[in-house]
Amino acid sequence: MMGLEYIFDVTLQHYLLLGMLLFSIGLLVIMVKRNLLIILMGVELMLNGVNVIAVSFGHYTNNVEGQILAFFILTVAAAEAGVGLVIAISIFKEFKSTHISNLTKLKG
Amino acid sequence: MVTGLAQNAFFFFPLAGFIIAMALGVLFSDTPIRALISLIMSMLGIGILFLAKGAVFLGGAQFAVYAGAVMVLFLMVLMLMDVNEVTDKFFKDKASAGKFVKVGSVGIILGLSMGALSLKTYSNAYQNNIGVTEAIKNLAMTLFKRHMFLFELVGVLLFVIAVAAVAVSRSGREEL
C-alpha cells in the first residue's frame, strides 16, 4: 500500500517528470522529423516543457518568479515561431518543399 | 488560491496522460496538419494545468497566445505551402480522417467534462477566495516593477521580429 500512496500523492516531482517528458518528446521530434514545420513544432513542445517546470517550481516555492519566467519564455517562443515560419516560407518559395535537406543549399 | 486541484491524482494523471499522448501524436503523425492539431491539444492541456497551479493569467495567455495565435499562424503557413497535398491527404483518406475526428472529439469532451467537474468541486474556492485576484495583482506588480526593463526589451524584440518578418518575406521580389 505504500507504493499506491506514493503514486496517488501528486507532488512536485510528478510535474517535473511531466515537463521533462515533454522536453524529451520535443527533442525527439526535432531529431527524427525531416519537415521544417514539424521541427518548429518540436521546439514549441520543448519550450512548453520548460514552462511547466518553471510554473511548478513557482507554485512549489510560493512566489510569482516562476510565472514571470514562463511569461517571458512564452513571448520569446511566439517571436521564435514568427521568425521560423518566415524562414520556412522563404525556403518553400525557393525550393517548393520544406524538407530540411534544402537547408544545405542556402550557401552564398 | 486553488491549491487542492493540482495535488489531486484524479485530476493530474488523466491530464498528464492526455498531454503526453498528444505530444507523442506530434511525433508519430504522418502529415503536418495532424501534428499541428495534436500540438494544439497538448497546449490546451498545459493551459488547464497552469490554471490548476494557480497561474490564472498564464493559463489564459497559454490559451490565447499559444493555442490561439501561434497555432493559427502555423496553420496559415501550412495552408499557404501545400494546401492541395494537405487537404487531399486529410479528407480523401476518409476512414482515417473520421477516426481522427472521433479521437479529437473524445479529447475535447473529456477536457470539458474534466473542467466542469473540477469547477463544480472548486467553484466555492474561486468565488469565496480573493486569492486569485491577489495572485494576479502580485504578478502584475512583480512584472511591471522589478522586471520592467525586461518587459520593454521583449517589446523591442517583438517589434524587430515584425519588421524582420516583413523584410524577409518581401526580399527577393525583383519588381519592387
Side-chain angles (χ1 to χ4, degrees), chain B residues 79-140:
Chain B
M79 287 297 171
L80 196 69
M81 280 177 179
D82 35 14
V83 60
N84 289 326
E85 189 191 334
V86 168
T87 48
D88 283 0
K89 256 191 164 173
F90 190 66
F91 289 114
K92 278 188 180 167
D93 192 8
K94 281 261 168 60
S96 169
K99 196 165 61 184
F100 187 73
V101 167
K102 275 177 208 158
V103 171
S105 329
V106 167
I108 290 171
I109 291 169
L110 189 76
L112 283 178
S113 49
M114 213 151 61
L117 278 177
S118 60
L119 274 183
K120 196 180 169 228
T121 317
Y122 291 95
S123 62
N124 284 337
Y126 268 108
Q127 283 168 4
N128 301 335
N129 203 332
I130 52 165
V132 174
T133 20
E134 278 301 311
I136 293 179
K137 194 174 168 186
N138 198 5
L139 180 73

Side-chain angles (χ1 to χ4, degrees), chain A residues 49-93:
Chain A
V50 175
N51 267 356
V52 168
I53 291 176
V55 171
S56 298
F57 266 122
H59 186 74
Y60 182 71
T61 55
N62 210 5
N63 66 15
V64 293
E65 295 292 333
Q67 291 185 41
I68 301 277
L69 180 61
F71 175 77
F72 284 116
I73 291 174
L74 200 142
T75 321
V76 173
E80 170 264 324
V83 172
L85 289 175
V86 164
I87 292 174
I89 288 180
S90 305
I91 288 172
F92 181 75
K93 269 189 196 165

Side-chain angles (χ1 to χ4, degrees), chain A residues 13-22 52, chain B residues 12 16 19-20 49:
Chain A
Q13 279 86 358
H14 289 76
Y15 285 93
L16 298 188
L17 194 65
L18 176 65
M20 282 191 282
L21 270 174
L22 277 176
V52 168
Chain B
F12 174 76
I19 294 171
I20 294 295
L49 204 114

Side-chain angles (χ1 to χ4, degrees), chain A residues 15 33 44 48 59 65, chain B residues 6 27 53 62 66 81 146:
Chain A
Y15 285 93
K33 292 288 181 174
E44 299 292 332
N48 263 286
H59 186 74
E65 295 292 333
Chain B
L27 186 59
K53 277 276 176 191
Q62 178 85 8
Y66 255 131
M81 280 177 179
R146 198 189 301 169

